[in-house]
Amino acid sequence: MTQIIKARGLGKSYHGVRALDAVNLDVEAGRIVGLIGPNGAGKTTALKAILGLTPFEGELEVMGKNPYVERDSLMREVCFIADVAVMPRWLRVYQALDFVAGVQPRFDRARAEGFLSKTDIKRASRVRELSKGMVTQLHLALILAIDARLLVLDEPTLGLDLLFRRQFYDTLVNDYFDKERTILVTTHQVEEIENLLTDVIFIQRGRIALSTSVEDLGARYVQLTASAEQARLARQLQPFHEREVFGRVVLLFEGRSPQELQQFGDIRTPSIADLFVAKMQGDAA
Amino acid sequence: MNIMPILVRRELWEHRALWIVPLVIAGLIVVAAMFPHASMQIDSADVATPQKYRDLFALFHAVLTVPQLLLLSVLLPYYLLDCLYAERKDRSILFWKALPVSDAQTVLSKLLVALVVVPLGVFVLTLFTDVAASAILDVRFHNSPMVRALLHWDTGIWLRTQGLILAAVAVAVLWYAPIAAYLMLISAWARRNAFLWAALPPLVAMLIEKIAFGTHEIAKLLGYRLHLPSGVLGINPAAAGGHAAGMFDTMRPWVAFVNIDFWLGLAVAAALVWLTIRIRRHQEDG
């Protein structure tokens, strides 16, 4: 497996506040990694360091390069969408195509035109004349036509309606992703992306709270839904989180086998969203 | 892959005033030449000798072109102050930084636009304006022998005049390079109101100097740099006899290359550009 991102003791402070603290990170090729955390947890700071936009402490390699020192050459193989708002409003669609084609050797213009022909976006329109959804479509058409090895998405669907959000991720998975490419995505809308992730990393207060592949998730975590009576017995197995739903108790266990737990009630693998809430609340308590 | 041409095109897409305004002014000059009430008064004494004729011919063509070049002193400072400020104001800086373009390439492309592309483009435009306006006037005043004498086309003098103007533009641009680099630096640095920030440091420095030492050295230095001294262009007003017409006869723009102040200015410009690149490199979003 080729290692795409490797961080050891990655750190960063803003005005004395630790935004990232001793972060270790390993991302391999062909994965879709969700970097998930509450607002202000350090997601964006981590991405900025990975994209070479900010100096950092510790060790960080992206495809074997120090991103801060070699940002320009790294950007030939890395693409990112930070937020839909960042496309300049004066730019015309054909100018955007011309520009990216002019500076990015791995850009396939015909492919971008192909994406655009499926939309209502006109070549002569300025970004300011497009709806927010169309701007995302345009941005996506540009990015997906770049043969990048690493795609970084920072809250890519913020402010979009459900139809566009769904379309965005469908295009990403169906038309773009393959085993050679790696996608790193941050969002706080976990439910939206949990079905497409292969790996999850939870980040909280600048530290990694959990880093696992989705396959391993089922082996590590079990969610038990039981009556109040049964829950009392199950608590002896030390759940790390519990909550009540419609009079039943939902307990989360780490490192317990399903066999041990099924006698108390219904068991299943927790969703990433449930696990995220449990981890964040548990650690905050 | 040489990306400079596309970076330059990008600047002209964003800052359309850089080419629209010169085109409009050129159009107005050509239209003015057609204007029925435009009249020309020429005394026969003005073209009495070949020397006088040559001077007047040069002056005539300079008058048709120099206003467009002076326009640059408004357009370019405005552009330079905006060029690195706008991308932060509209938050598009991360879009640009997502592409494999280095900060040095970005900053240098903007400098190239301000110091080479636009001045050269406007100069070429003035040649067309000059020829078009001259041709129109030639047709309109074909009954006036005096004006016809003036308009009598002399390619040699015309080329020499335009060559001198081009050399003067080149020297002027390089003379103003430290000012241009300073404006870019402010553009990359100011969080808001780049225009105010550009004016503030020199004003404060002058004030402090005035209070502390009661002198005006900074003001003098700035005045010297801002007002392109005729000596830098090799113009000798005394030799020209105070007549504007004689200006082109005495002009020697290449003397700038042996002027230490000229080179000092370029050194300062290089340092400021280096600093501008550093600042843009450290700029993250917000």
Side-chain angles (χ1 to χ4, degrees):
Chain A
M1 269 296 174
T2 330
Q3 188 141 29
I4 297 293
I5 302 173
K6 178 183 170 187
R8 293 289 175 271
L10 183 64
K12 171 89 186 168
S13 295
Y14 286 109
H15 311 293
V17 180
R18 288 305 275 175
L20 279 183
D21 197 18
V23 166
N24 296 332
L25 209 62
D26 292 284
V27 175
E28 286 174 350
R31 314 294 291 183
I32 303 181
V33 183
L35 185 63
I36 300 161
N39 292 330
K43 290 175 303 212
T44 300
T45 306
L47 293 192
K48 277 183 178 171
I50 288 166
L51 295 168
L53 294 170
T54 178
F56 51 81
E57 303 148 28
E59 255 179 73
L60 175 61
E61 278 184 10
V62 180
M63 289 179 286
K65 292 174 177 169
N66 176 329
Y68 191 64
V69 178
E70 297 173 82
R71 184 180 77 82
D72 322 324
S73 66
L74 200 60
M75 283 301 125
R76 291 203 186 121
E77 301 182 276
V78 179
C79 271
F80 72 93
I81 298 187
D83 183 325
V84 290
V86 302
M87 282 196 80
R89 292 168 52 76
W90 52 264
L91 192 67
R92 291 185 191 273
V93 174
Y94 75 85
Q95 294 172 339
L97 291 164
D98 284 356
F99 189 81
V100 178
V103 300
Q104 172 55 276
R106 301 167 79 101
F107 180 68
D108 178 351
R109 188 176 184 137
R111 198 169 149 82
E113 301 265 9
F115 283 123
L116 285 178
S117 64
K118 290 184 216 149
T119 69
D120 298 329
I121 299 170
K122 294 186 185 69
R123 296 295 182 282
S125 296
R126 290 182 189 280
V127 167
R128 76 163 79 92
E129 295 154 6
L130 303 176
S131 71
K132 198 156 192 212
M134 286 162 118
V135 176
T136 308
Q137 286 177 323
L138 169 61
H139 206 162
L140 200 62
L142 295 173
I143 296 297
L144 298 190
I146 295 171
D147 182 20
R149 289 171 64 198
L150 172 63
L151 175 63
V152 176
L153 304 169
D154 186 14
E155 301 281 1
T157 56
L158 211 62
L160 293 180
D161 66 35
L162 180 61
L163 285 177
F164 274 119
R165 295 207 299 265
R166 188 61 60 80
Q167 199 189 2
F168 178 91
Y169 286 117
D170 284 351
T171 313
L172 198 63
V173 173
N174 298 329
D175 295 346
Y176 186 76
F177 183 65
D178 62 39
K179 290 292 159 210
E180 304 297 310
R181 291 179 176 163
T182 307
I183 299 177
L184 180 60
V185 52
T186 78
T187 179
H188 55 267
Q189 292 168 309
V190 189
E191 324 81 58
E192 209 148 73
I193 57 165
E194 67 177 324
N195 295 325
L196 49 107
L197 298 180
T198 64
D199 295 81
V200 284
I201 297 168
F202 290 170
I203 185 166
Q204 188 177 28
R205 288 191 293 256
R207 289 175 166 273
I208 302 288
L210 172 74
S211 177
T212 177
S213 73
V214 172
E215 303 103 79
D216 292 347
L217 210 64
R220 262 174 87 174
Y221 297 96
V222 182
Q223 177 177 300
L224 169 70
T225 309
S227 65
E229 202 102 323
Q230 294 289 341
R232 209 166 299 141
L233 298 167
R235 269 186 205 116
Q236 289 167 355
L237 295 174
Q238 292 163 331
F240 67 91
H241 186 260
E242 66 172 87
R243 69 197 158 101
E244 227 171 284
V245 180
F246 299 125
R248 284 165 67 85
V249 183
V250 179
L251 301 146
L252 284 171
F253 295 88
E254 180 170 4
R256 297 285 177 188
S257 70
Q259 290 75 16
E260 265 180 294
L261 294 166
Q262 61 192 4
Q263 52 174 318
F264 302 110
D266 306 328
I267 59 162
R268 66 181 192 95
T269 302
S271 70
I272 294 172
D274 287 340
L275 197 59
F276 173 72
V277 171
K279 278 278 175 190
M280 294 300 131
Q281 287 180 343
D283 291 6
Chain B
M1 183 166 180
N2 179 14
I3 62 168
M4 243 347 134
I6 188 74
L7 294 185
V8 167
R9 272 176 70 200
R10 178 220 158 312
E11 293 308 306
L12 300 178
W13 290 334
E14 183 178 6
H15 302 275
R16 292 188 304 157
L18 289 180
W19 51 273
I20 289 179
V21 173
L23 279 176
V24 168
I25 300 294
L28 288 177
I29 290 174
V30 173
V31 169
M34 287 186 243
F35 211 68
H37 299 292
S39 65
M40 287 168 53
Q41 295 283 323
I42 293 163
D43 200 330
S44 57
D46 289 339
V47 288
T49 68
Q51 174 65 40
K52 281 191 168 174
Y53 161 71
R54 217 168 67 192
D55 289 349
L56 197 65
F57 180 88
L59 181 68
F60 173 76
H61 291 283
V63 163
L64 283 179
T65 57
V66 169
Q68 284 165 278
L69 292 165
L70 292 179
L71 188 70
L72 294 175
S73 63
V74 179
L75 278 179
L76 292 180
Y78 185 86
Y79 164 72
L80 285 161
L81 268 179
D82 197 50
C83 67
L84 288 163
Y85 178 66
E87 64 176 10
R88 289 180 299 128
K89 198 172 58 184
D90 69 10
R91 308 201 336 108
S92 64
I93 183 165
L94 278 189
F95 174 78
W96 304 113
K97 283 203 173 199
L99 293 161
V101 181
S102 71
D103 297 294
Q105 284 168 324
T106 302
V107 169
L108 291 177
S109 73
K110 289 164 194 277
L111 198 67
L112 187 73
V113 165
L115 298 190
V116 181
V117 175
V118 173
L120 204 61
V122 170
F123 174 75
V124 170
L125 187 62
T126 65
L127 300 184
F128 285 105
T129 322
D130 184 15
V131 171
S134 302
I136 290 165
L137 291 174
D138 190 37
V139 171
R140 285 193 48 216
F141 291 98
H142 68 277
N143 287 328
S144 158
M146 278 304 135
V147 175
R148 282 194 63 78
L150 168 65
L151 289 168
H152 173 72
W153 191 263
D154 187 324
T155 307
I157 303 176
W158 187 78
L159 283 177
R160 181 173 178 277
T161 306
Q162 297 298 356
L164 279 169
I165 291 175
L166 180 61
V169 167
V171 167
V173 158
L174 293 173
W175 178 258
Y176 287 123
I179 307 279
Y182 168 76
L183 294 177
M184 263 188 119
L185 179 76
I186 296 293
S187 176
W189 172 80
R191 283 198 177 273
R192 58 177 65 87
N193 212 330
F195 287 83
L196 205 64
W197 278 114
L200 210 57
L203 288 178
V204 169
M206 279 188 255
L207 198 68
I208 290 173
E209 188 202 345
K210 169 85 179 127
I211 293 166
F213 308 106
T215 55
H216 302 277
E217 291 308 313
I218 295 171
K220 273 188 215 158
L221 184 71
L222 273 176
Y224 172 67
R225 183 59 65 172
L226 282 172
H227 165 263
L228 180 65
S230 54
V232 175
L233 289 175
I235 298 168
N236 185 346
H243 292 300
M247 197 175 77
F248 284 95
D249 218 40
T250 68
M251 192 155 124
R252 306 279 180 274
W254 44 90
V255 300
F257 294 103
V258 293
N259 184 336
I260 185 74
D261 294 342
F262 178 83
W263 294 107
L264 276 176
L266 286 180
V268 169
L272 292 174
V273 167
W274 179 81
L275 210 57
T276 306
I277 294 170
R278 296 277 301 178
I279 289 176
R280 188 178 190 268
R281 181 152 162 63
H282 286 274
Q283 245 145 22
E284 304 153 40
D285 165 39

